[in-house]
Amino acid sequence: MNDIPGRPDPGTASGALPLPGPDSIAWRYVGQWRLLTVLGRALVLETAHPVVGSGVEAFSTYRYHPWRRAQQTLLSLQRVVYLDVRGREKEAARLVRLHRHIKGVDGAGRSFDALDPEAKAWVHLTLFEAIVTMCRVGGDPLPARDEEQLYEEWRACGRVIGLDDDVMPADVAAFWVYFERMTRERLDATGGLRGLVSALSGDFPPPAQLDFLPAPLWRAVRGAAARAYLDMTAALLSPALRERLDLRPGPAGPAIAAVVCRAAGLLDRIAPPRLRYMPVAATAIAAELQLRRSLARRAARPDAAVPELFDRILDQTGDGFVSWADLAAVARVVAVRLEVDEATETALYDAFHTWWLELRAGSDTDGDGLLSREEYARTGPDGAALRAAMDTVAAAVDRDGDGFVEQAEYAHLLGGGGHGPELLESFRLLDTDGDGRVTVAEFAAGLGAFFAGRAGSPVGRRLLGRA
C-alpha cells in the first residue's frame, strides 16, 4: 500500500498465485468505505445472473435484514483479503457451508445451485470489476499495471474460495472480453434482481446507528436516500445493460453518481487510514505499520530484549529476581487464559518446573536459588527444557488440534483482546517463513526465542505481564 514500505506477500493459494499481502493492490482498495458507492452496482450484476438471481429470490433475507446482509458481505470480503492464510481458508469453508443448501428449481423449472462454478466465479469477479469501476468513477483510475496486478491477486483469492483456474479468465484482457460477453448474453432481469430493487425501494428498517430517529423522519430519509442510490446505481451501468435489466435512472442519476463518487474518491485521498477503511482492513493495515516500526526499532536496539523480558515478564513477583514462584505464576497465567483441562494444566506446570531446574542449573552462578538479571543474561537460558515448555504451551494454544495457531486462538491466549493492531503485529512476528500461517512449531519457536532473550517481541509482554 502507498504508505507501507515493501514486504513480501504472505504465502500462496494452493501453491500457485501469491495471496494479496500488505503491499498488494487489493489491500490498498478492497477495504475502503467508498466501495459502498459501487456495491449496489455489483449486486445488480450478480443478481442479474440467472443462477444467482434464482438463489437470491428463493433464499435471501435481504428484504428483511438489509443492513445485516450488507455487513456480512463486506465482512466476508475483508476476511478473504486481509486475514492470515488460515483465516482466509476458514472463511472460504464457512462460505461453502453457508451456500451448499441454496439450491432448487426456480419458477421456470430451471435448476440452480449456489455452488455452481460459473455463477460463483461471476460473483467473485464482479467484485474485481467493482473496484476498477470505483476508482474510475472516483477520479483515480487504476493504471494498467495496477489493474493487471489486482486481477492476478483476485484470481488468487478465487482459488482460496474454491474456484479453479479454468472458470476464471487467464488475464485481465481476457476478463474484459468475458465481462462483455456475460453482460451481453447471460444477464437478465431475474426475479432476484427485481426483488433486490424492490427491497431497496421498500419499507426497510433503519440501521442500528439511526434507530433513534422517529419513524416518520426515517421514512422520509429512507425514501430520498434509496431513490438517490438506485438512480446512482442505474447511472453507473451501461445504457444497453440498463435497458435489458429495466433499470432506468431518474434525470438526476448521472449527476448524483458523478458528485457522490468523486467526493468519495477525494475523501479517500485525504482521510487517514483509520477513517478510509472498514474495521478488519483498518486493523490489518495499522498492525502492519506498527510491525514495521517495531522491527526497525529492534534492529536499532538489539540488546533491549533481556531487560524487557526479565523486568516485565519473568520477574512476576517484582522483587528483582526470578524463582520457581515466578515461573509457576507464568504457567498459571497460561493455564487460566486457555481454560485447559486438568491433564493439560499439570503438563504445563511440569514443563515449566523442568525448565526452572534447567535454568537454575545453568544460570544460578552464586547458588542462592534465585536468578538475577545479570545471571539470566550472562549464562543464557536457551536449552532443551525451555523448548519443551514452549512446545507444551503451543500445543495447548492450538485448541482445535489442526497443527496451526490461528488469530482467534492467539487472541484467546491473550485473554480476548479482539484483533487489534498489537495482536496482529505480534502474531505476524511469529510467522517466520512468511507464508501467512503460524504453525505450532513456529509459535513455540517464537516464544522460546523471546524467553531466551533473543527477541524483543510484544508476544511475551502481552501474554504474561505481571500476574
Side-chain angles (χ1 to χ4, degrees):
M1 51 195 46
N2 291 337
D3 44 4
I4 295 182
R7 242 169 57 94
D9 286 336
T12 60
S14 303
L17 300 170
L19 289 170
D23 300 306
S24 66
I25 306 299
W27 265 52
R28 187 187 306 168
Y29 291 110
V30 169
Q32 293 180 351
W33 280 113
R34 66 168 171 155
L35 188 63
L36 292 172
T37 61
V38 294
L39 182 62
R41 181 178 181 278
L43 292 174
V44 165
L45 292 173
E46 292 170 11
T47 55
H49 188 286
V51 174
V52 180
S54 295
V56 166
E57 185 177 20
F59 288 92
S60 180
T61 61
Y62 58 75
R63 181 185 298 272
Y64 310 102
H65 306 287
W67 307 113
R68 186 177 71 186
R69 295 296 302 125
Q71 183 181 40
Q72 289 174 346
T73 297
L74 294 172
L75 178 60
S76 180
L77 181 62
Q78 291 175 82
R79 286 171 174 168
V80 169
V81 173
Y82 294 97
L83 290 188
D84 63 299
V85 173
R86 288 294 294 167
R88 300 182 205 206
E89 291 170 347
K90 285 203 164 187
E91 177 61 17
R94 188 191 70 85
L95 291 173
V96 170
R97 291 194 304 272
L98 181 67
H99 290 93
R100 66 184 176 187
H101 301 297
I102 301 179
K103 54 187 174 181
V105 178
D106 65 16
R110 297 170 298 194
S111 62
F112 65 89
D113 187 333
L115 297 181
D116 173 75
E118 186 218 43
K120 190 175 176 180
W122 174 247
V123 170
H124 179 65
L125 293 172
T126 54
L127 292 169
F128 160 76
E129 196 274 343
I131 297 166
V132 175
T133 298
M134 175 187 78
C135 294
R136 175 174 54 81
V137 299
D140 56 335
L142 289 176
R145 173 180 289 184
D146 286 358
E147 186 177 306
E148 293 170 2
Q149 180 180 331
L150 176 62
Y151 184 70
E152 287 302 304
E153 294 165 0
W154 212 245
R155 289 181 72 235
C157 290
R159 294 193 57 150
V160 170
I161 64 172
L163 293 174
D164 294 331
D165 286 343
D166 59 1
V167 297
M168 296 183 288
D171 55 37
V172 72
F175 166 79
W176 291 114
V177 174
Y178 156 86
F179 183 79
E180 172 61 25
R181 176 179 60 79
M182 289 290 289
T183 55
R184 185 179 66 251
E185 301 175 2
R186 198 79 168 98
L187 304 190
D188 200 359
T190 65
L193 174 57
R194 290 192 297 271
L196 172 67
V197 173
S198 176
L200 288 174
S201 307
D203 186 19
F204 53 87
Q209 297 87 341
L210 298 179
D211 201 35
F212 64 89
L213 291 178
L217 179 58
W218 164 246
R219 284 195 293 271
V221 171
R222 180 201 65 218
R227 183 68 258 170
Y229 193 74
L230 281 171
D231 284 346
M232 180 179 75
T233 296
L236 293 174
L237 299 170
S238 69
L241 188 56
R242 290 199 299 261
E243 188 69 26
R244 184 157 64 259
L245 301 183
D246 195 26
L247 290 174
R248 299 176 180 85
I256 293 172
V259 171
V260 171
C261 294
R262 285 299 180 107
L266 176 62
L267 286 173
D268 177 74
R269 290 189 285 277
I270 63 176
R274 62 186 175 82
L275 298 180
R276 293 204 312 264
Y277 290 95
M278 297 176 231
V280 174
T283 298
I285 291 166
E288 182 64 24
L289 287 169
Q290 187 166 311
L291 171 61
R292 294 182 182 191
R293 295 189 192 107
S294 296
L295 292 174
R297 285 196 302 268
R298 285 164 200 149
R301 297 169 59 236
D303 59 342
V306 169
E308 176 186 44
L309 166 68
F310 192 94
D311 295 339
R312 301 189 64 173
I313 312 300
L314 293 177
D315 182 13
Q316 292 276 307
T317 56
D319 62 359
F321 296 92
V322 170
S323 66
W324 163 236
D326 294 295
L327 291 195
V330 172
R332 182 169 63 252
V333 171
V334 174
V336 170
R337 290 278 178 83
L338 295 178
E339 302 171 318
V340 298
D341 56 28
E342 184 177 355
T344 304
E345 181 177 348
T346 299
L348 283 168
Y349 274 96
D350 288 347
F352 273 79
H353 189 257
T354 302
W355 176 31
W356 164 246
L357 296 176
E358 178 186 74
L359 195 58
R360 188 178 65 182
S363 301
D364 183 14
T365 54
D366 60 9
D368 63 354
L370 301 171
L371 299 183
S372 66
R373 181 202 293 177
E374 291 72 21
E375 287 176 318
Y376 191 89
R378 183 169 58 246
T379 57
D382 193 6
L386 168 61
R387 292 191 292 273
M390 297 305 104
D391 287 340
T392 304
V393 173
V397 173
D398 179 21
R399 295 165 66 85
D400 59 9
D402 66 354
F404 296 93
V405 173
E406 294 148 20
Q407 287 180 10
E409 292 171 327
Y410 186 41
H412 187 79
L413 175 64
L414 299 180
H419 296 275
E422 288 186 5
L423 184 149
L424 292 181
E425 175 200 3
S426 54
F427 186 78
R428 288 179 186 161
L429 283 169
L430 294 166
D431 179 19
T432 53
D433 63 5
D435 70 348
R437 301 174 176 89
V438 175
T439 64
V440 168
E442 283 179 317
F443 190 83
L447 286 181
F450 178 79
F451 282 112
R454 295 198 306 268
S457 166
V459 175
R461 180 171 68 254
R462 298 203 57 222
L463 166 60
L464 304 174
R466 284 265 169 84

